[in-house]
Amino acid sequence: MGHGEGEGNSMCGSSQEGSVAVDMRSCDGNLWDKNLVASDGLWDVFSNEEAVAVVKEVEDPEESTKKLAIAAAHTTSSEQSGSIGEKNQNSTPVHSDSTTSKASSIAGVRSHAGPYRGIQAWVYGVDLKIEKDQASYSQIYLGSGVNNKINYISAGFMINPGYFGDGRVWSYGFWKGKDGKGCYNTACSGFVQVSQTIPIVQPIDISPTEPSFLRPFIHQDKNTGNWWLTYLGPDKPNGDLGYWPKELFNLFDNGANMVGVGGVVKASPSGSSPPMGNGKFPDGGRRTSAIFANIDVLNSNYKQSKISSFPIEILVDSPQCYGLRVGTVKWYRRTRLGYFFNYGGPGGNSCGV
């Protein structure tokens, strides 16, 4: 691909490695490290004693993590009415869209073990009924933040009638850089469109019965430091759409501190939240709900590996409306999904946003 290292080949096997954490606080479309449950003893939702009490009867580590996640979700949901101004100034956002209201929810994974030079994943797109004052995204992203300053890039699918004027699924890119500047696609000066055949933004033709998949890859060029958006494909050559010049950013010189993947929704002012993914909760079946697959990252040396090679956080801030289930593969089976998870849900009027 010519812009830094890393390949788009699928990887076999799947496991969740490293410490796992749960972040449950969403503010103005951004997720901050306010409420964090981590396996290294850094407890902000529970004290050590409270966490032990939750899982003391559970022997399996994976089941312990799940039980802590559920307990943290219920604990945090009851505290959602707290001040949204209590953000950690050194944290980084999941979604830096200035058009996203405070009424937003997320289901995804992220890692703060940077610096990272890139992230890629298969992103799932499906036609959904979204009201004019709602939005639903499926995205990969990377970012850095310090002292309320944010650098951020995301790409994927979104349904946003208020922005596009229709309810179709669109591909998109978004950036936010120094001095708070940024925008979608080419709505402002920033993204440099290079490809003459693949625009950064276009409506996606989706079958009523089958989802569409896109494999975006956001990565930093080794030589120029610019951030490229490439579409990877199994049946056709990789396509370099264009790049965000390094001069747009002031916190990305040595890579991004954080990477992530997930679904994000924006509720209407009335409080009604739209569906996420394909509108169904993950139930263990790989095809019954939406999926992110082959989630790979580039580390500071441009080496490609599964995101689960690093400490990751599982993010679900409205578990009554949306869910997430990390994929597992039996040791005697092989998969081309790499690290993957199913996610989504129906939304509704009681999502706690």
Side-chain angles (χ1 to χ4, degrees), residues 20 30 53 63 83-84 103 152-153 160 180 188 197 203 212 215 254 260 265 271 276 280 292 333 353:
V20 178
N30 300 333
E63 290 301 317
S83 170
I84 61 172
Y152 180 87
I153 301 174
N160 191 335
C188 64
T197 58
S212 179
R215 194 173 187 181
N254 297 313
V265 297
M276 178 192 295
K280 297 179 181 179
F292 284 98
R333 294 182 180 176
V353 295

Side-chain angles (χ1 to χ4, degrees), residues 5 7 21 45 69 79 101 158 160 163 186 188 199 209 251-252 289 299-300 306 326 338:
E5 303 300 322
E7 301 178 354
V45 173
E79 298 173 351
S101 73
M158 73 169 167
N160 191 335
Y163 181 79
T186 56
C188 64
T209 58
L251 302 177
F252 276 171
S289 60
N299 69 8
S300 60
K306 290 184 288 186
V326 175

Side-chain angles (χ1 to χ4, degrees), residues 171-209:
S171 62
Y172 81 97
F174 176 84
W175 69 278
K176 187 172 185 178
K178 59 186 178 182
D179 300 324
K181 296 179 180 178
C183 64
Y184 281 114
N185 310 315
T186 56
C188 64
S189 177
F191 183 78
V192 179
Q193 178 75 41
V194 172
S195 173
Q196 298 182 0
T197 58
I198 313 174
I200 187 174
V201 56
Q202 62 180 329
I204 307 299
D205 185 17
I206 294 182
S207 164
T209 58

Side-chain angles (χ1 to χ4, degrees), residues 3 24 45 150 168 171-172 194-195 220 264 289 321 332 342 347:
H3 311 291
M24 298 293 177
V45 173
I150 296 168
R168 291 181 293 177
S171 62
Y172 81 97
V194 172
S195 173
Q220 188 175 32
V264 176
S289 60
C321 294
Y332 53 84
N342 291 90

Side-chain angles (χ1 to χ4, degrees), residues 143-326:
S144 294
V146 60
N147 296 329
N148 289 331
K149 297 178 181 179
I150 296 168
N151 286 183
Y152 180 87
I153 301 174
S154 66
F157 288 133
M158 73 169 167
I159 305 174
N160 191 335
Y163 181 79
F164 288 111
D166 61 48
R168 291 181 293 177
V169 178
W170 289 75
S171 62
Y172 81 97
F174 176 84
W175 69 278
K176 187 172 185 178
K178 59 186 178 182
D179 300 324
K181 296 179 180 178
C183 64
Y184 281 114
N185 310 315
T186 56
C188 64
S189 177
F191 183 78
V192 179
Q193 178 75 41
V194 172
S195 173
Q196 298 182 0
T197 58
I198 313 174
I200 187 174
V201 56
Q202 62 180 329
I204 307 299
D205 185 17
I206 294 182
S207 164
T209 58
E210 294 291 333
S212 179
F213 286 92
L214 180 71
R215 194 173 187 181
F217 181 25
I218 304 170
H219 53 110
Q220 188 175 32
D221 186 282
K222 246 183 180 181
N223 298 317
T224 66
N226 296 330
W227 291 88
W228 280 81
L229 177 59
T230 300
Y231 284 173
L232 307 177
D235 303 320
K236 51 188 175 182
N238 298 333
D240 291 326
L241 278 68
Y243 63 91
W244 291 275
K246 66 178 181 180
E247 290 79 13
L248 298 175
F249 310 101
N250 56 351
L251 302 177
F252 276 171
D253 290 345
N254 297 313
N257 294 338
M258 175 272 296
V259 292
V261 175
V264 176
V265 297
K266 183 189 76 170
S268 63
S270 66
S272 176
S273 295
M276 178 192 295
N278 67 355
K280 297 179 181 179
F281 281 107
D283 61 3
R286 299 180 190 175
R287 298 185 179 182
T288 56
S289 60
I291 189 173
F292 284 98
N294 295 113
I295 307 170
D296 291 351
V297 299
L298 299 182
N299 69 8
S300 60
N301 296 318
Y302 293 88
K303 180 181 179 181
Q304 180 176 327
S305 61
K306 290 184 288 186
I307 192 173
S308 54
S309 300
F310 301 88
I312 61 174
E313 303 168 56
I314 298 175
L315 311 168
V316 181
D317 64 357
S318 297
Q320 65 273 41
C321 294
Y322 313 104
L324 184 151
R325 184 165 181 158
V326 175

Side-chain angles (χ1 to χ4, degrees), residues 14-47:
S14 178
S15 64
Q16 187 165 345
E17 305 163 14
S19 61
V20 178
V22 181
D23 188 330
M24 298 293 177
R25 176 60 64 95
S26 176
C27 298
D28 196 21
N30 300 333
L31 276 166
W32 307 87
D33 293 335
K34 175 64 178 176
N35 293 326
L36 180 66
V37 179
S39 59
D40 59 2
L42 300 177
W43 311 98
D44 289 331
V45 173
F46 299 120
S47 67

